[in-house]
Amino acid sequence: DAGVTQSPTHLIKTRGQQVTLRCSPKSGHDTVSWYQQALGQGPQFIFQYYEEEERQRGNFPDRFSGHQFPNYSSELNVNALLLGDSALYLCASSFLETQYFGPGTRLLVL
Amino acid sequence: RKEVEQDPGPFNVPEGATVAFNCTYSNSASQSFFWYRQDCRKEPKLLMSVYSSGNEDGRFTAQLNRASQYISLLIRDSKLSDSATYLCVYRGAGSYQLTFGKGTKLSVIP
């Protein structure tokens, strides 16, 4: 049973560029959440997708957007990248309560 | 007051020792509580859920005190493999997001 997978594993971008990160949930999971984890911090909730709609959003600007596909996979898009967007981006999938995290995408903005 | 407060550590303990971590949370409407562990440069992994009655899983015991808004994790007979950062997490009532503390770093020394 494959766990949560994310791609790419690492990414380097420059300020002002746009990035798309991808996530495939565990088999049987229908909900995907995205988190940002800066160095030395706990993960911060960006948003959650369920039934192809954004169900809840954290305190992140509109530059952060997402999408969920009919097969439950999801994308996180970040526009107009800032240096402060450098972080580990984690996807978590769930069915009901427990959220299981993928290995993350490490984004560096130069 | 921060939503979740944890002592960042590091806690350096010898193998076989007992170590306890504490966490306080500010949201009195919090509904579900968890401990996740995160190894260096890896994703968070669920260690255990925390119930009001307290619960145990092998060498790990978690306690919740709703009146004091306080959660604890006790690790008995520490192993080298327990070295990690332990994240205190809650989910608020009516919310889908997980709110994380910054984590407490544990190093178990031979």
Side-chain angles (χ1 to χ4, degrees):
Chain A
D1 176 27
V4 182
T5 59
Q6 292 187 242
S7 63
T9 56
H10 296 81
L11 206 50
I12 300 175
K13 293 285 188 179
T14 56
R15 280 178 296 175
Q17 285 190 310
Q18 178 265 344
V19 68
T20 297
L21 311 181
R22 296 176 176 82
C23 171
S24 291
K26 276 174 68 77
S27 176
H29 287 189
D30 58 2
T31 303
V32 173
S33 304
W34 286 92
Y35 293 81
Q36 179 196 66
Q37 186 174 24
L39 201 60
Q41 305 293 314
Q44 298 291 311
F45 177 76
I46 303 175
F47 40 53
Q48 184 181 88
Y49 277 84
Y50 173 70
E51 292 190 340
E52 301 180 50
E53 292 195 358
E54 184 183 288
R55 177 156 72 173
Q56 185 174 351
R57 188 178 184 92
N59 189 27
F60 278 80
D62 292 346
R63 299 187 297 109
F64 290 77
S65 63
H67 188 79
Q68 186 179 35
F69 299 94
N71 67 353
Y72 307 120
S73 67
S74 176
E75 288 182 351
L76 164 65
N77 300 292
V78 187
N79 294 323
L81 285 166
L82 303 174
L83 296 180
D85 294 331
S86 296
L88 178 66
Y89 288 85
L90 294 159
C91 165
S93 75
S94 55
F95 176 74
L96 302 179
E97 175 87 271
T98 305
Q99 296 187 19
Y100 296 89
F101 286 83
T105 294
R106 202 164 292 276
L107 172 65
L108 177 61
V109 182
L110 301 176
Chain B
R1 184 180 174 186
K2 294 181 181 176
E3 291 184 280
V4 183
E5 297 208 49
Q6 295 183 250
D7 181 341
F11 284 61
N12 299 313
V13 303
E15 275 186 288
T18 296
V19 61
F21 305 138
N22 303 318
C23 162
T24 57
Y25 60 94
S26 60
N27 184 350
S28 60
S30 297
Q31 182 163 341
S32 305
F33 303 87
F34 311 92
W35 284 100
Y36 277 74
R37 70 168 276 169
Q38 187 171 26
D39 294 291
C40 187
R41 301 183 69 81
K42 299 285 190 180
E43 73 273 22
K45 293 185 178 178
L46 179 66
L47 180 65
M48 56 198 304
S49 299
V50 187
Y51 305 114
S52 296
S53 55
N55 48 301
E56 188 173 307
D57 183 1
R59 298 181 293 108
F60 300 85
T61 301
Q63 296 280 349
L64 166 63
N65 184 321
R66 287 187 182 272
S68 301
Q69 295 181 207
Y70 170 97
I71 306 165
S72 65
L73 176 68
L74 183 77
I75 305 175
R76 291 180 300 278
D77 189 23
S78 297
K79 311 291 185 190
L80 295 176
S81 57
D82 294 333
S83 296
T85 295
Y86 289 83
L87 298 162
C88 176
V89 186
Y90 77 80
R91 182 178 65 81
S95 174
Y96 298 103
Q97 78 173 68
L98 298 180
T99 299
F100 287 78
K102 290 186 178 182
T104 298
K105 185 173 181 179
L106 171 66
S107 293
V108 181
I109 303 163

